Amino acid sequence: MKIAIVGGGFMGLVLAQKISSTTNATVKVLEQGSLPGGLSTYHNYGAFTWDKFYHVITPTDTDLIDFIDEIGLADQLQWRRSLTGYYENKRFHSISSSKEFLMFPLLGLVDKMRLGYTIFRGSRINDWKSLEKIHVTDWLIKLGGKRTYEKFWAPMLQAKLGENHKKVSAVFIWTYIKRLFKARSSAAQKEHMAYVNGGYKTIFDRLEQNLKQSGSDVMLNTEVQHISPSPEGGINITHNGATEHFDKVIFTSPLNVMEKVTAPQLYDISKSTKPIDYLGVICLILVTKKTLTPFYVLNIGDNDTPFTGVIGMSSLVDLEETANQHVTYFPKYISQDDELWSKSDEEITATFLKGVKYLYPDFNEADMISSHVHRAFKVQPMQVLNYSEIVPKVNTPHPDFYVLNTSQFVSESVNNNSVVTHVEKFVKGFKGDLQNNTTAN
Ligand SMILES: Cc1cc2nc3c(=O)[nH]c(=O)nc-3n(C[C@H](O)[C@H](O)[C@H](O)COP(=O)(O)OP(=O)(O)OC[C@H]3O[C@@H](n4cnc5c(N)ncnc54)[C@H](O)[C@@H]3O)c2cc1C
């Protein structure tokens, strides 16, 4: 059986690894980019290579951790103590342990108790369906009060979703509470996070090597232009100007691509679901001689910064990984129609650098080794009210065409642990179909 996977992001490659290691099918991953990995890919920063966007592994990422073990990289996983900060009114506060959390100076005792109650309640809710019906703001205010919302939650939502946070349901913050607050190890109640030596490049190198060995293939620089049903069964894919036949096709790229390249006889997305909005991200990355922040994540409760958070990668990752240079990411999550997309990299760098100097008045541009602007247009599907009712199903009207992408994460945030969870569920559910009849090419 010959299977095509459209999209060589983390989803496509984990899927290829799982199918090729558990069935006798041959897999071809078709990826338009020149590197594997999509949003999780890596970048050459000059003296070192590291993740293009910031990625971290939390103790609750059990499926991801098992997967890393499965591909023989468990010994490459490095756990470190991580710090979370909060900036407001020209002051930085650490909220990295339960004690610091309780001492958070911007909230009074009653508000802190309400915050604690929200987190406690949130972490114990299992029925996310009821949370889909209420806006995140209404839910947080109902549980924790307006002051707690404004001082604590709103900046966090702003950091993740920008102004669009007003549209999402309570499921969004519930998944966040479940994932991140459990990152505190129960013994010390302190945050711990992990990375893989060499970053995600190590994972992608291993996956490419495994796939090659099993007779499967990752085809880079291969843009899928058209997917249509084949009259004799199976699916035809047009890429690089030629048409190739596959017995099965699994589509992992974002939905706007699917709408563009998939024949309506296969899956008429406009008739099957309501439009799903994605948020994108624009991120400035500074490589510096000195450290900028002790925090892995800094939430910003201040509207005067052009970015929505600060990720101090070098506060987590050993400096040998990055040639003794310090790496800091300054992301801004924005909607598809935001005017920031039209700005050049130079304009974005200039604007964001003003924000860096505002936040860190001691920052000296002479300490800057390089700066980079990375953009990703489709990152986070907006989990609006009753989101689970509008997402596409894995099964499509055509028996040889499947959809498996992050838009289907109805009760999780977009993260690589959920990617592994969904892939495993898919392969378990459809294993029989993925290794049945053999069709001539
Ligand atoms: C700023 C940022 C920070 C993040 N931090 C974390 C984190 O700390 N921890 C974590 O677990 N996750 C994190 N994530 C999420 C993680 O990156 C995603 O879960 C993951 O990358 C999703 O992978 P995917 O394969 O589903 O999608 P994508 O990575 O979007 O892959 C889709 C692929 O399809 C390809 N494609 C599109 N059109 C075509 C076409 N026509 N033909 C062929 N190929 C095509 C694209 O090039 C892409 O490679 C972060 C993401 C971002 C953006």
Side-chain angles (χ1 to χ4, degrees):
M1 165 142 339
K2 189 176 160 195
I3 298 175
I5 294 174
V6 179
F10 193 59
M11 179 87 81
L13 292 169
V14 174
L15 184 58
Q17 161 76 26
K18 290 273 180 192
I19 294 176
S20 64
S21 63
T22 57
T23 72
N24 55 9
T26 311
V27 182
K28 223 180 215 191
V29 179
L30 308 173
E31 165 57 42
Q32 68 175 5
S34 56
L35 293 175
L39 297 174
S40 306
T41 195
Y42 45 89
H43 179 78
N44 181 349
Y45 289 94
F48 62 93
T49 295
W50 196 254
D51 300 352
K52 182 175 180 185
F53 296 103
Y54 45 93
H55 280 77
V56 79
I57 298 164
T58 73
T60 50
D61 291 345
T62 48
D63 287 342
L64 176 59
I65 294 166
D66 287 350
F67 179 72
I68 289 170
D69 187 13
E70 201 177 300
I71 57 173
L73 294 176
D75 60 341
Q76 302 294 310
L77 208 52
Q78 302 294 337
W79 288 98
R80 296 284 180 273
R81 169 99 162 89
S82 64
L83 301 178
T84 295
Y86 187 98
Y87 177 86
E88 207 241 7
N89 202 13
K90 302 206 181 305
R91 292 196 59 191
F92 294 89
H93 308 278
S94 178
I95 46 169
S96 315
S97 66
S98 300
K99 191 172 156 213
E100 282 176 349
F101 210 69
L102 286 171
M103 301 205 355
F104 187 54
L106 299 176
L107 294 177
L109 187 64
V110 173
D111 292 330
K112 269 180 212 151
M113 286 168 69
R114 299 193 76 176
L115 176 62
Y117 174 70
T118 309
I119 293 167
F120 175 79
R121 270 293 306 277
S123 63
R124 267 156 187 76
I125 291 175
N126 289 321
D127 172 23
W128 55 270
K129 272 276 190 186
S130 60
L131 299 178
E132 246 197 352
K133 305 197 178 329
I134 177 166
H135 277 292
V136 67
T137 308
D138 296 342
W139 186 70
L140 288 171
I141 291 178
K142 195 171 122 202
L143 283 184
K146 207 160 187 294
R147 257 197 321 269
T148 316
Y149 175 77
E150 277 165 5
K151 288 283 172 200
F152 189 82
W153 293 114
M156 225 176 234
L157 288 170
Q158 186 76 21
K160 264 300 196 188
L161 300 171
E163 277 307 300
N164 289 283
H165 71 264
K166 291 171 188 147
K167 295 184 201 159
V168 304
S169 82
V171 172
F172 181 83
I173 202 71
W174 170 76
T175 60
Y176 185 85
I177 289 174
K178 282 228 167 219
R179 184 164 186 266
L180 242 78
F181 287 91
K182 277 194 191 163
R184 284 148 209 256
S185 76
S186 53
Q189 286 297 299
K190 288 175 179 167
E191 287 178 357
H192 282 85
M193 295 191 183
Y195 63 93
V196 171
N197 287 332
Y200 263 80
K201 181 174 188 307
T202 305
I203 298 179
F204 291 125
D205 285 352
R206 176 60 57 92
L207 289 174
E208 277 192 290
Q209 185 192 332
N210 286 357
L211 289 169
K212 214 174 189 174
Q213 273 168 10
S214 66
S216 295
D217 201 5
V218 181
M219 292 181 65
L220 301 174
N221 301 306
T222 302
E223 185 188 0
V224 168
Q225 286 140 348
H226 193 59
I227 312 175
S228 56
S230 164
E232 68 271 21
I235 306 282
N236 287 330
I237 294 188
T238 308
H239 61 82
N240 300 340
T243 298
E244 191 173 355
H245 178 266
F246 294 91
D247 300 309
K248 303 274 179 192
V249 172
I250 308 158
F251 188 93
T252 72
S253 301
L255 288 179
N256 65 311
V257 180
M258 185 160 132
E259 199 166 6
K260 201 171 96 192
V261 302
T262 308
Q265 310 92 288
L266 265 185
Y267 193 75
D268 192 344
I269 191 166
S270 62
K271 284 199 187 128
S272 313
T273 68
K274 284 190 190 152
I276 290 177
D277 282 340
Y278 283 77
L279 282 186
V281 71
I282 293 187
C283 193
L284 172 75
I285 297 104
L286 292 187
V287 179
T288 53
K289 292 179 197 159
K290 293 183 186 157
T291 183
L292 279 176
T293 170
F295 302 112
Y296 177 69
V297 178
L298 179 74
N299 296 300
I300 302 176
D302 183 323
N303 293 330
D304 291 334
T305 48
F307 36 80
T308 44
V310 179
I311 312 296
M313 187 56 74
S314 296
S315 72
L316 186 81
V317 170
D318 292 354
L319 277 182
E320 302 94 79
E321 292 282 354
T322 52
N324 286 315
Q325 299 176 357
H326 298 258
V327 186
T328 313
Y329 296 73
F330 299 88
K332 182 169 171 105
Y333 280 84
I334 48 176
S335 52
Q336 307 292 293
D337 56 2
D338 198 292
E339 61 161 27
L340 205 59
W341 295 113
S342 65
K343 305 284 181 209
S344 67
D345 286 1
E346 290 70 27
E347 287 170 308
I348 287 166
T349 305
T351 311
F352 279 35
L353 269 181
K354 273 191 201 146
V356 175
K357 287 176 191 159
Y358 169 82
L359 215 60
Y360 306 105
D362 292 341
F363 170 71
N364 183 348
E365 273 194 51
D367 288 332
M368 213 164 90
I369 298 166
S370 62
S371 71
H372 312 255
V373 174
H374 292 158
R375 303 161 188 254
F377 200 48
K378 301 275 175 185
V379 177
Q380 170 75 52
M382 292 279 287
Q383 291 169 329
V384 294
L385 293 188
N386 300 314
Y387 181 69
S388 67
E389 289 165 22
I390 63 170
V391 303
K393 304 265 182 298
V394 171
N395 270 113
T396 69
H398 195 288
D400 299 324
F401 185 66
Y402 307 89
V403 181
L404 190 71
N405 68 15
T406 54
S407 75
Q408 294 159 335
F409 293 8
V410 292
S411 59
E412 305 119 299
S413 58
V414 172
N415 65 74
N416 286 339
N417 185 63
S418 301
V419 166
V420 177
T421 312
H422 280 250
V423 167
E424 277 173 353
K425 191 170 166 219
F426 174 81
V427 174
K428 208 168 160 205
F430 294 95
K431 197 169 165 187
D433 300 337
L434 299 175
Q435 57 183 348
N436 277 347
N437 63 34
T438 40
T439 313
N441 299 333

